[in-house]
């Protein structure tokens, strides 16, 4: 079975509520959906999220990258995944979202060809995982209301976006801790907002106040590896690297220096399954655990991410909550979401049947 064609299209994902984090405010995320078509008429599906502030990928850059990649992989045998990824990496650096979309579609085809759900192919450790839910940064009232709403819907882990002012972060978390019932865990995403010493001071204060934070995600700038390690070494709370780990080489840096306690893997950051697997394997060797995260992505990306997250023992946490954020679900098939539990299907590949509202773009 060889690659015969690649079609791309765009879907809009209108949000129920505006998404707010330190670097961006967004109403309607856009996604590029890729269909890799074989000479036997089989179709593999993948998606690329536009997240310019994190990966640098925009709609135009994703389309530009796909235009370059397409002629390089047409005609290659779909089983030759090494050959496909080598051809892509020889063609262009970075552009991880476009690469992730093709990678997802290739693995989807692989699963379909051999009749195996991807989660089983990747390790089959379990078939479901609990996700947290992200609480947007906002006023105290907004954050308390969203948190109580999430808890009512069955979520027990809240990942709180705290903005860039560390004192505001402490105040917000203090109020949230008092507002939620026992048994609800707070996670914090600082979105690169603090300087290293400020981060240590802030996190120690949270520890002294007994806020019992599960982890602090990306307290310092993405490029500040020494700063991240400094924070990790000087607080009790676990530190999760997010933007500092885009691809496998970044992960290696963190793993070799023990620069963080945990790594947040996102297919959009690392360019898909084949690189995510490298990160999981490297991290596992030294005992660094991983979380599977996501961008503002449709059920295609969430299904892909969940397929790897459930498959591997070293993936102990998940932040795969975007499905709840969209006004409607334009993807038929894929994972099943019951409150905070994401369950993968037993269908071959990703198990995606249809992408509604797919507007084809001619490359
Ligand atoms: C949506 C997910 N829960 C999340 O919080 N992801 C962000 C990155 C996505 C974005 O801001 O577009 C994160 O983990 O920092
Ligand atoms: Mg983050």
């Amino acid at each position: 079975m060889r690659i015969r064609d690649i079609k791309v299209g765009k879907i809009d994902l209108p949000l129920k509520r505006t998404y707010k984090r330190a670097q961006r405010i967004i109403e309607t995320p856009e996604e590029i959906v890729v269909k890799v078509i074989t000479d036997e008429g089989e179709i593999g599906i993948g998606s690329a999220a536009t997240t310019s502030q994190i990966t640098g990928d925009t709609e135009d850059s994703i389309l530009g990258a796909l235009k370059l990649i397409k002629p390089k992989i047409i005609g290659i045998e779909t089983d030759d995944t090494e050959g496909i990824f080598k051809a892509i990496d020889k063609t262009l650096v970075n552009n991880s979202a476009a690469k992730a979309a093709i990678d997802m579609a290739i693995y989807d085809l692989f699963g379909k060809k051999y009749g195996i759900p991807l989660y089983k192919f990747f390790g089959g450790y379990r078939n479901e995982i609990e996700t947290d839910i992200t609480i947007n940064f906002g006023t105290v009232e907004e954050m308390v209301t969203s948190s109580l709403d999430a808890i009512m819907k069955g979520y027990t882990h809240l990942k709180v976006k705290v903005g860039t002012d560390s004192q505001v972060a402490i105040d917000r978390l203090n109020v949230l801790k008092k507002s939620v019932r026992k048994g609800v865990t707070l996670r914090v995403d600082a979105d690169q907002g603090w300087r290293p010493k400020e981060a240590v001071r802030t996190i120690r204060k949270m520890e002294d106040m007994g806020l019992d934070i599960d982890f602090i995600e990306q307290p310092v700038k993405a490029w500040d590896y020494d700063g991240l390690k400094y924070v990790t070494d000087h607080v009790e709370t676990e530190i999760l690297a997010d933007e500092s780990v885009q691809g496998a080489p970044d992960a290696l840096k963190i793993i070799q220096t023990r620069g963080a306690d945990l790594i947040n893997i996102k297919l959009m950051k690392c360019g898909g399954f084949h690189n995510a697997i490298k990160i999981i394997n490297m991290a596992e060797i030294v005992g660094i655990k991983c979380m599977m995260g996501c961008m503002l992505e449709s059920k295609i990306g969430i299904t892909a991410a969940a397929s790897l997250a459930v498959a591997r023992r070293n993936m102990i946490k998940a932040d795969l909550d975007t499905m709840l954020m969209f006004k409607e679900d334009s993807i038929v098939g894929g994972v099943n979401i019951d409150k905070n539990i994401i369950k993968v299907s037993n269908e071959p590949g990703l198990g995606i049947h249809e992408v509604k509202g797919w507007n084809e773009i001619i490359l």
Side-chain angles (χ1 to χ4, degrees):
M1 190 158 93
R2 290 181 185 275
I3 300 173
R4 194 193 70 209
D5 195 7
I6 295 176
K7 290 193 183 299
V8 302
K10 190 175 134 183
I11 53 172
D12 288 334
L13 304 164
L15 294 171
K16 287 182 194 155
R17 273 192 222 137
T18 307
Y19 177 77
K20 289 184 200 163
R21 57 173 279 164
Q23 294 94 340
R24 67 191 196 131
I25 295 182
I26 186 154
E27 308 265 352
T28 304
E30 290 157 343
E31 183 164 291
I32 301 296
V33 176
V34 168
K35 294 183 182 175
V36 175
I37 302 159
T38 70
D39 54 1
E40 293 178 18
E42 194 63 84
I43 299 176
I45 294 179
S47 60
T50 57
T51 312
S52 59
Q53 293 87 348
I54 300 174
T55 62
D57 296 296
T58 63
E59 185 186 323
D60 287 345
S61 74
I62 292 168
L63 292 173
L66 292 170
K67 196 171 178 175
L68 279 177
I69 291 169
K70 182 174 168 176
K72 304 288 182 192
I73 63 171
I74 281 185
I76 304 183
E77 175 68 43
T78 55
D79 282 356
D80 182 11
T81 53
E82 282 290 288
I84 294 168
F85 302 135
K86 184 174 156 215
I88 294 173
D89 286 336
K90 257 174 66 183
T91 304
L92 81 172
V93 296
N94 304 324
N95 291 280
S96 54
K99 289 178 181 174
I102 297 281
D103 165 291
M104 265 180 228
I106 296 296
Y107 278 97
D108 188 28
L109 281 171
F110 191 87
K112 283 173 173 159
K113 178 171 173 188
Y114 293 102
I116 183 166
L118 284 185
Y119 85 93
K120 286 202 176 159
F121 175 66
F122 290 141
Y125 182 57
R126 61 206 150 190
N127 69 353
E128 59 180 38
I129 194 161
E130 179 181 346
T131 178
D132 62 23
I133 185 162
T134 299
I135 304 298
N136 277 342
F137 182 64
T139 64
V140 183
E141 292 73 25
E142 284 167 346
M143 292 177 81
V144 170
T145 306
S146 310
S147 299
L148 296 180
D149 185 45
I151 294 165
M152 284 252 299
K153 289 188 171 118
Y155 289 86
T156 56
H157 291 75
L158 310 180
K159 188 176 107 162
V160 186
K161 298 276 187 185
V162 290
T164 50
D165 183 324
S166 49
Q167 188 54 50
V168 171
I170 292 174
D171 295 343
R172 292 284 201 283
L173 290 164
N174 195 23
V175 175
L176 286 183
K177 185 75 187 171
K178 288 180 179 145
S179 311
V180 302
R181 63 170 165 74
K182 266 210 175 103
V184 172
T185 303
L186 299 182
R187 298 173 168 173
V188 171
D189 193 348
D191 282 321
Q192 312 182 52
W194 305 329
R195 284 165 288 109
K197 283 189 176 167
E198 177 190 17
V200 170
R201 264 198 319 273
T202 307
I203 298 165
R204 283 189 181 162
K205 247 191 228 171
M206 292 176 187
E207 289 168 354
D208 291 344
M209 290 164 73
L211 295 180
D212 197 20
I213 306 295
D214 188 30
F215 61 67
I216 306 279
E217 179 168 341
Q218 199 62 48
V220 301
K221 295 279 182 240
W223 49 264
D224 190 1
Y225 291 94
D226 290 342
L228 190 64
K229 179 168 170 54
Y230 175 80
V231 180
T232 303
D233 287 346
H234 288 86
V235 297
E236 291 291 320
T237 311
E238 295 213 301
I239 302 299
L240 170 80
D242 183 9
E243 287 89 342
S244 288
V245 176
Q246 300 280 335
D250 298 332
L252 182 59
K253 222 181 301 178
I254 297 275
I255 289 162
Q256 282 175 325
T257 59
R258 306 294 195 279
D261 301 296
L262 299 156
I263 293 176
N264 187 354
I265 299 176
K266 294 178 188 159
L267 298 175
M268 288 302 127
K269 288 190 297 181
C270 68
F273 291 124
H274 74 290
N275 285 325
I277 291 165
K278 289 180 195 164
I279 299 176
I280 299 170
N281 288 344
M282 288 191 294
E284 198 164 28
I285 293 167
V286 297
I288 290 184
K289 306 280 184 201
C290 299
M291 177 167 95
M292 185 57 85
C294 63
M295 304 298 185
L296 295 181
E297 297 178 54
S298 74
K299 210 192 328 164
I300 301 172
I302 299 301
T303 298
S307 299
L308 187 54
V310 300
R312 296 293 304 264
R313 212 160 23 113
N314 204 36
M315 304 293 311
I316 58 161
K317 298 173 197 275
D319 173 34
L320 299 175
D321 58 337
T322 56
M323 294 311 306
L324 206 82
M325 299 180 183
F326 302 132
K327 280 193 183 140
E328 60 195 56
D329 186 359
S330 50
I331 309 300
V332 183
V335 288
N336 191 321
I337 299 165
D338 182 12
K339 297 189 182 115
N340 57 343
I341 302 297
I342 301 198
K343 189 171 182 175
V344 293
S345 90
N346 271 320
E347 291 183 48
L350 292 170
I352 305 283
H353 303 155
E354 194 191 337
V355 182
K356 290 192 257 175
W358 188 76
N359 294 312
E360 189 173 351
I361 299 170
I362 305 300
L363 282 181

